[in-house]
Amino acid sequence: MTAPVQPHYPHPSADDPRIMLDAQIGQYEQVPPYPPRTEREAEFYTLGDGEMFLNMGPQHPSTHGVLRVVLKINGEKVVDLDPVLGYLHRGVEKLCENSDYHHIISQIDPLEYVSSLFMEWAPVMAFEKLMDVQVPRRAEYIRVLTGELLRIASHALFQGWMALDLGGLTPILYSFIERDEIVEMLAAVTGQRMLFNYFRIGGVNGDLNHEFMSRLGDWMSRAAVQHEANIGLLNENEIFVRRMRDIGRVDRDTALRMGVTGPNIRAAGIPFDVRRAHPYSVYPELEFNVPVRGSNGGGDSLDRYLLRLDEVRESIRIIDQCLHEMPDGPVMARLPRLMRPRPGRAWAAVESPRGLFGTYVISDGTDQPFRFRIHDPSFVHLQLVGMLMKDNLIADTMAVMASLDPVMGGIDK
Amino acid sequence: MTTVPGMGLVHGMGLTLRRFFAPKATIMWPEQNADVAPRFRGRLQLLYDEYGTLKCETCFQCAQACPIECIDMGGVDTRGRFHVHWGPPETYGERREESAMRRAGRPVADAAFTRFDPMDVTPVTAIAEAHDFEPKDLLPMLEDIQAAYGYLPVAALKHLSRQTGAWYAFVYGAASSFKHLRFEPPTMPAAAPAGEGLRSAEAGYVSALGAALSGKAPA
Amino acid sequence: MTAITRSLGNVSTVGKVVIPLLVLILVVGPLVTVLLATVIGPWVVGVANSNLGILRFVVAITGILLFSIPAAFIIIYMELKVIAYMNLRVGPNRVLPAGAAHSVIAGLKVLTKEDFSPTSADKTVFTWAPVMVFLTAVMTFMVIPFGPGLVGAPLNIGLLYLFAVGGMTVVGLLLAGWSSFNKYSLLGGLRSAAQVVSYEIPLTLSVVGLILLAGTLSIDSIARQQAGWVWDWFVFRQPLGALIFFIAGVAEANRTPFDLTEADSEIVAGFATEYSGMRFGFLFFAEYVNVFIMSALIVTMFFGAWNAPVDINAVLGFFHLAPFWVYLQPGELGLGLLLVIAVAPLLVTLALSAPVYLLRDSMPAWKALVVGFILFNLLVIGALGLAAYIDWDWVAGLVWFMLKAFIFVFVFVWMRGTFPRVRIDQLMGFAWKWLLPAALLNLFITAFAIVILKSAGIH
């Protein structure tokens, strides 16, 4: 009777330098565990004297979702940093290419969950161009009305997150109260609070109803006052202002070179607004200003924060005009259920709360787009992070990142 | 920034103190429910029509469309039959693997359905083989099965689902959407729709509606 | 004996507990009492008399340990509720009315959680660091006078002891941050070291002017010097010192806007990142005990300690009145006192229940009587409390001290609900560029004023 022969499996970690053995625990693992792939990576992952890496995220209280930032720090000072993306990648573009034109609206809805209506608006506009659809004017007004409401909600949320990242507990709650009123209002007309799925090719899903209008009227009567009261908590606060001023300064040239759009470029002194630069919908008929700040050579975090507050005031103006000038009529163009546009391509961009949000569609004549591409502003803005945060303190990374207002859902697509 | 240093801080403290005494925004759930707009469509419930009948037609399209297969349907279908089980909820863990195997095109045993009457399913296997186990030929296969059995037994559908790798929901959905396919033996009368006896008010309502629409009493 | 066991077997479950207890109370109780009174009692008293200092210390430290945990619970609950109200939320509201026991239940939860430590942590240091943080916090309590005579150790160098022991907290925080084997913890620990050491200096310097004024380092004596009216409090003679002490105290206690050591949006939870279970509980309690200590210190130094804002004797003297309780001499009633004790409860209960019975139609008589009795009891408790307040100055002192201390705790919480956090360089710059010169200025002005006033003959 011989002992059964045990098959020999070599322990996989025996000579694999990437796996820490028990004996090695207690020493720092080498970062990165793989040989560097690019020159930049080799440079980044070489530590200088007194420097160390600090891995921030993907689970961290203030990285706005699942952004991971590897910081190279010297004491409290950030020497260099490396954002790592892709933790929220869902392949939205590919999902959209595999669904028909109506279905895309609901697929792209959760892309940037803070301002869903704008995510629907751009593809819907692109499809309307592709199919040569005339949208009823009432539908356009409803789109502008709901869109501007959501812009206020998004900026309110930005304000709260900004304060939370700087350690203030209270403003986020006030922001959520303000946002909650708006999303409840939109839920009354769209049927959902967050992923509205409201815009349709050739119009919107339903007309404004009594619940929406009564809530809107109630809210409009105190919106401006409430907004001013809420921002009074932070705008005059010395601690807040001193923490925001003169950090993360983006000058005009950088902003233009990096393709920054939206509030961030307007805070850098360039009055670029898609609603005015490439007018769409009924915006040419509406009267509103494009607020600009930081015109003397660029804007810092405080400018970006204040500019969004200015935009809220403008949005309230636009909503007021929409309510006064909204025409009667249908909210949906008469269209066939199944749409097979002629082969062609279309680009449409809207001014989302974060900047220029665009979609590019190529049709091959079937009921699904051949190619569908998304331009998300948050992704562009996140590229600034490396430039802005160098030689700042760890605490400033939060202030700068929050002031750029990225949403990871849009960045990772 | 105010001219006097520190005044901004004092203003902020004043605001929070005022809010301290202000009415609160919390909705005290569950004692108090949120005010939900009638148009709100995020309710997680099945709706009933005005006669108290379930509006769900058990077409399984939601279960088919659900990307993570979290929609579970079970119980009696609208026509009083028993076999509309997509899978019991306690087998979620198994079903995750099961569905992965199905998607990979491999036959999967369904533990949830073993209790149904044993019947000879070799004709089903033969039919599936004749169609090269191709899920796209579902309709011809179903027609052949009906020709072989005289109707579509549940076990045969299950077996077909296993053989072709198509979801049972898909097979059932296809079978239930064609008028010439039947689930009962031809000798048996077709099952009445669920809630049939409950619609005593319907006739009156329809006649009243017809009268209102046409302006005269219906025949 | 068997008869007793059999009859015991017949009684109910409650009886099985109650009957032995009755036997115990009726038979053993008197025996023990007699024994205590004759033999053990005098011995214990003798030993205690000869070791009065040790006994006082043991009683004081027990009292302080027993007090610190409920105080922390109350402050935690206060923080949850007050910040919630400022946020337009309701806050904890499920355990007891208004969620009053929420923090206690949370403390129990912390007790039952896994006591986890990271693989690579320095286990010994990791375990003892929270204990050190908590103990230094509690040790500071020893010299704080809660009322006249209500002080753990009446040291004549109380202030020195206070700053010496208070400065030791940072060692615990640093150890906690270092031993956790986590970069966030390390950053938190280093931040706390930098912050607490920097703010130690203005904190101490701001009090030096007060020490010059008071001429003593004994906290008890400083408290006694503030007796009288509101304007006798040191805050009106040292306003700048009080302001600096308050700001530096906020930083010392690691509270918003200086809570950089546990800045949750930057370094996840600072030194407490890797802690869980009761070790985290210790760190957490220590934070809130520190808040209370800082409020207590501010009150003691600058806001009149246990003294009431009104000099009651001066008021009575102004109206040529003796305190009214002087007129109340129950002994003079003689046998009538017994009558009063017997009849007064009955009469007062009836008097209090009568309006309840008459004004509410649906009220049955027995319910009205119960209500009346409860009201009577509240009245008696109030009267006894008033009597205690009047007769024992430590009760009055404790009431005023706690009231003022919790007002300052409220201010701490209020600031947390309002302010964002400062940056580390602003924090250090503020300490060294503003607070330290201001504290020195305060010191020089005070010294000059004292010298000038003394040379002018005004004392």
Side-chain angles (χ1 to χ4, degrees), chain A residues 25 53-56 60-62 76 165-168 170 173-174 237 239 242-243 393-396 398, chain C residues 83 86-89 120 183-184 187 191 257 264-266 268 416-426:
Chain A
I25 289 178
F53 289 116
L54 184 68
N55 184 38
M56 206 170 254
H60 186 272
S62 61
E76 283 273 341
D165 282 356
L166 298 185
T170 304
L173 273 300
Y174 295 170
N237 192 313
I239 298 173
R242 276 173 209 281
R243 282 214 46 190
L393 298 174
I394 293 176
D396 286 339
M398 307 307 150
Chain C
I83 291 185
M86 285 174 175
N87 290 349
L88 297 177
R89 289 185 287 130
S120 308
K183 288 171 185 172
Y184 290 117
L187 279 172
R191 275 183 179 193
D264 56 337
S265 64
E266 298 155 26
V268 184
R416 174 143 194 211
T418 308
F419 294 149
R421 188 180 299 122
V422 301
R423 216 192 304 153
I424 183 85
D425 60 332
Q426 292 168 348

Side-chain angles (χ1 to χ4, degrees), chain A residues 64-77:
Chain A
H64 288 246
V66 283
L67 172 64
R68 177 178 161 217
V69 186
V70 183
L71 297 172
K72 194 202 263 184
I73 54 175
N74 188 349
E76 283 273 341
K77 205 164 125 189

Side-chain angles (χ1 to χ4, degrees), chain C residues 126-457:
Chain C
F126 188 77
T127 311
W128 286 99
V131 179
M132 184 156 180
V133 174
F134 186 71
L135 272 188
T136 45
V138 172
M139 273 163 75
T140 328
F141 263 130
M142 282 301 281
V143 290
I144 293 177
F146 290 84
L150 267 187
V151 53
L155 300 178
N156 58 355
I157 47 160
L159 271 178
L160 201 62
Y161 170 88
L162 203 81
F163 293 124
V165 174
M168 268 164 68
T169 315
V170 67
V171 181
L173 297 183
L174 196 54
L175 288 181
W178 177 78
S179 64
S180 294
F181 197 70
N182 182 324
K183 288 171 185 172
Y184 290 117
S185 300
L186 185 66
L187 279 172
L190 289 175
R191 275 183 179 193
S192 74
Q195 175 182 338
V196 176
V197 169
S198 302
Y199 275 85
E200 211 44 37
I201 295 162
L203 186 80
T204 317
L205 274 179
S206 65
V207 191
V208 176
L210 186 144
I211 294 169
L212 287 183
L213 272 181
T216 175
L217 276 172
S218 159
I219 299 179
D220 202 45
S221 156
I222 290 174
R224 280 181 199 286
Q225 288 184 25
Q226 302 179 62
W229 289 93
V230 175
W231 48 83
D232 290 321
W233 295 356
F234 275 132
V235 66
F236 296 103
R237 277 183 269 176
Q238 289 278 307
L240 185 61
L243 186 67
I244 295 166
F245 190 85
F246 179 71
I247 294 172
V250 173
E252 250 332 77
N254 293 330
R255 296 286 299 178
T256 309
F258 304 113
D259 61 338
L260 281 99
T261 54
E262 48 204 283
D264 56 337
S265 64
E266 298 155 26
I267 46 167
V268 184
F271 56 85
T273 308
E274 292 288 356
Y275 278 95
S276 66
M278 201 49 216
R279 290 180 204 170
F280 175 74
F282 269 128
L283 289 175
F284 200 60
F285 282 149
E287 187 189 332
Y288 289 96
V289 168
N290 269 327
V291 169
F292 183 80
I293 285 169
M294 271 305 149
S295 326
L297 277 183
I298 293 163
V299 168
T300 313
M301 306 282 177
F302 295 102
F303 286 88
W306 64 74
N307 297 301
V310 177
D311 189 353
I312 190 83
N313 289 322
V315 172
L316 292 171
F318 181 76
F319 292 110
H320 303 291
L321 284 172
F324 62 88
W325 54 93
V326 171
Y327 303 119
L328 198 69
Q329 294 292 347
E332 288 175 357
L333 289 174
L335 267 183
L337 184 65
L338 283 178
L339 199 69
V340 168
I341 290 171
V343 176
L346 199 65
L347 287 180
V348 177
T349 303
L350 282 175
L352 287 172
S353 54
V356 180
Y357 181 65
L358 292 175
L359 290 177
R360 292 287 300 271
D361 288 344
S362 58
M363 183 73 77
W366 65 271
K367 262 189 194 171
L369 278 176
V370 168
V371 170
F373 188 66
I374 290 168
L375 286 176
F376 166 70
N377 274 301
L378 289 178
L379 206 69
V380 168
I381 289 166
L384 286 178
L386 192 68
Y389 179 87
I390 288 162
D391 273 359
W392 297 321
D393 56 350
W394 67 267
V395 173
L398 194 65
V399 168
W400 278 111
F401 183 83
M402 284 296 168
L403 195 68
K404 287 191 244 178
F406 271 94
I407 285 173
F408 272 93
V409 170
F410 180 83
V411 174
F412 273 67
V413 174
W414 185 9
M415 281 166 60
R416 174 143 194 211
T418 308
F419 294 149
R421 188 180 299 122
V422 301
R423 216 192 304 153
I424 183 85
D425 60 332
Q426 292 168 348
L427 175 94
M428 303 303 275
F430 189 60
W432 293 101
K433 290 181 196 161
W434 292 97
L435 283 189
L436 185 59
L440 285 173
L441 185 74
N442 179 48
L443 173 58
F444 288 137
I445 290 173
T446 316
F448 269 118
I450 288 171
V451 168
I452 288 166
L453 288 179
K454 270 197 176 165
S455 60

Side-chain angles (χ1 to χ4, degrees), chain B residues 155-207:
Chain B
L157 293 188
K158 275 279 166 190
H159 191 65
L160 186 64
S161 157
R162 251 171 266 148
Q163 289 284 307
T164 57
W167 294 342
Y168 175 67
F170 196 73
V171 177
Y172 176 83
S176 63
S177 67
F178 290 100
K179 282 273 196 279
H180 67 284
L181 298 174
R182 55 179 179 267
F183 293 96
E184 297 84 9
T187 51
M188 205 171 114
E196 187 67 14
L198 305 172
R199 300 196 171 211
S200 55
E202 186 175 1
Y205 176 76
V206 167
S207 62

Side-chain angles (χ1 to χ4, degrees), chain A residues 241-306:
Chain A
V241 172
R242 276 173 209 281
R243 282 214 46 190
M244 300 277 282
R245 187 184 280 165
D246 285 334
I247 57 164
R249 192 174 276 283
V250 185
D251 56 18
R252 294 168 62 107
D253 294 341
T254 316
L256 285 173
R257 190 159 49 81
M258 298 297 283
V260 177
T261 50
N264 292 342
I265 200 171
R266 293 197 282 281
I270 299 170
F272 173 77
D273 188 327
V274 185
R275 291 175 292 179
R276 282 285 186 244
H278 306 282
Y280 58 94
S281 197
V282 288
Y283 279 115
E285 302 169 18
L286 297 171
E287 201 180 293
F288 63 97
N289 298 331
V290 177
V292 176
R293 270 176 192 270
S295 24
N296 48 349
D300 50 14
S301 289
L302 187 64
D303 282 332
R304 289 195 283 275
Y305 168 78
L306 291 174

